[in-house]
Amino acid sequence: MIFIREFTDFFCESITHTILLAIRSKTNIHKSKAKDKSATFSTNLENTGKQSVAGRGRSCSEGETSPHHHKLTKGMNAEYSNINSYDSIQVHGGSGYMLEYACQRLYRDARITSIYEGTTQLQVVAALPHITTGTYTSMLDELEAAAVAPEFESLKARAKAMDDKFKAAIDYVKAAENNEFLDLCSRRLYEMAGNCVMAQLLIRDASANAELFGKSAKVYLNLAEAEVMKHSNFIMGMTAEQIADYKA
Ligand SMILES: Cc1cc2nc3c(=O)[nH]c(=O)nc-3n(C[C@H](O)[C@H](O)[C@H](O)COP(=O)(O)OP(=O)(O)OC[C@H]3O[C@@H](n4cnc5c(N)ncnc54)[C@H](O)[C@@H]3O)c2cc1C
């Protein structure tokens, strides 16, 4: 269970930062202008914020480390913080771009997270052996085997279907026995691993505390399912022969 604590902690770190973005930014804007645009975004933040507080608390009390989990969490968190800070500016329109508004600074802060302490691309390179040798699929097997509350069984079935797509994509890429093909698909496999593990963790947490994590699990699963489908379609439709098309 160590990886679960670690993964949650790192994911929450990024989400906490994101919430900070929104709170700081909100103090600087004309609220009426941003109200409609921010409605959906705020709901998302609210849900992930609940997860953040609980996740951090658990990790602080039980903190342990597993390097191969860091590879997954560091890259995924960095990319999520970029997406969320991008949206923070977008919510404010042109005002958000101006120096006077805190979100432009936070956007730049987020941007460096995917560069320093190992770029996202290097997190993918480091995680790839764990993807191909089954470290992450073993995690998923363990998470899949755990029982959940009846109200989350349908979510669990959808998450299992995601995991199956991830495993099939790994098998497909490995069967090609072509390193260039593996490189081409590596980022997508990496994101599939992150999506699948995080979805399972949120369902587990929702099962333990539906009020705190139920909405987060449902919202995240909708996103993760679409992402996994997208990557699966790309990989399963790709052949080694197509690699030449990606070269200058
Ligand atoms: C504000 C700031 C603070 C920093 N603080 C520190 C610090 O405290 N300590 C410290 O040691 N460093 C620090 N750095 C340096 C930082 O760690 C490096 O910038 C970072 O590791 C990227 O290295 P690079 O800039 O040489 O880019 P490069 O390594 O040249 O990478 C350029 C691009 O190529 C990609 N790339 C490189 N290799 C591969 C590969 N094998 N496969 C796929 N893609 C690849 C990278 O992902 C990146 O997109 C800091 C940088 C900044 C901007």
Side-chain angles (χ1 to χ4, degrees):
M1 287 297 152
I2 293 169
F3 66 86
I4 293 173
R5 292 176 205 127
E6 281 306 305
F7 197 97
T8 307
D9 188 44
F10 271 74
F11 186 79
C12 292
E13 194 74 40
S14 142
I15 296 300
T16 304
H17 182 68
T18 301
I19 291 163
L20 209 59
L21 295 179
I23 293 169
R24 286 183 186 165
S25 304
K26 252 188 174 165
T27 59
N28 288 338
I29 62 164
H30 303 294
K31 285 183 183 170
S32 58
K33 189 177 168 192
K35 194 176 175 186
D36 291 341
K37 280 194 258 181
S38 65
T40 312
F41 183 54
S42 299
T43 307
N44 228 349
L45 290 174
E46 185 192 339
N47 291 337
T48 48
K50 288 173 184 172
Q51 168 204 333
S52 173
V53 173
R56 286 171 66 81
R58 183 171 52 218
S59 179
C60 285
S61 60
E62 303 172 17
E64 293 164 273
T65 58
S66 299
H68 55 280
H69 308 130
H70 298 180
K71 296 167 181 52
L72 204 54
T73 54
K74 198 276 180 182
M76 293 296 286
N77 288 330
E79 297 302 321
Y80 276 128
S81 68
N82 272 277
I83 292 167
N84 290 339
S85 58
Y86 175 95
D87 285 347
S88 292
I89 289 187
Q90 196 70 18
V91 161
H92 298 96
S95 303
Y97 178 77
M98 307 305 285
L99 276 180
E100 288 77 10
Y101 285 69
C103 56
Q104 57 79 26
R105 169 61 196 273
L106 293 163
Y107 182 50
R108 286 186 287 122
D109 285 349
R111 190 64 189 85
I112 192 60
T113 62
S114 53
I115 295 173
Y116 65 16
E117 295 181 9
T119 64
T120 300
Q121 287 71 33
L122 291 185
Q123 303 303 322
V124 173
V125 168
L128 200 54
H130 295 288
I131 291 172
T132 54
T133 58
T135 305
Y136 300 122
T137 51
S138 296
M139 283 183 196
L140 291 171
D141 289 342
E142 188 182 342
L143 288 161
E144 283 170 15
V148 293
E151 66 184 290
F152 293 108
E153 277 173 5
S154 63
L155 279 192
K156 183 100 171 166
R158 286 167 57 194
K160 168 82 168 64
M162 283 166 47
D163 298 348
D164 290 344
K165 284 194 186 305
F166 173 51
K167 291 169 187 173
I170 295 171
D171 291 343
Y172 180 75
V173 173
K174 282 170 67 175
E177 295 182 348
N178 182 321
N179 282 338
E180 286 188 322
F181 188 48
L182 179 61
D183 281 347
L184 184 64
C185 296
S186 60
R187 174 67 178 264
R188 291 173 188 275
L189 290 171
Y190 175 88
E191 291 188 12
M192 288 172 96
N195 293 145
C196 289
V197 173
M198 199 61 222
Q200 288 285 355
L201 291 174
L202 276 171
I203 293 168
R204 182 209 60 175
D205 286 350
S207 184
N209 189 334
E211 191 190 347
L212 200 55
F213 298 108
K215 279 189 182 175
S216 300
K218 289 172 191 168
V219 168
Y220 187 75
L221 201 82
N222 287 341
L223 171 74
E225 203 170 40
E227 287 293 304
V228 166
M229 180 71 79
K230 176 181 78 178
H231 294 318
S232 171
N233 285 347
F234 180 95
I235 291 171
M236 304 305 269
M238 182 62 60
T239 59
E241 289 70 42
Q242 292 185 59
I243 292 171
D245 299 334
Y246 288 77
K247 291 182 177 174

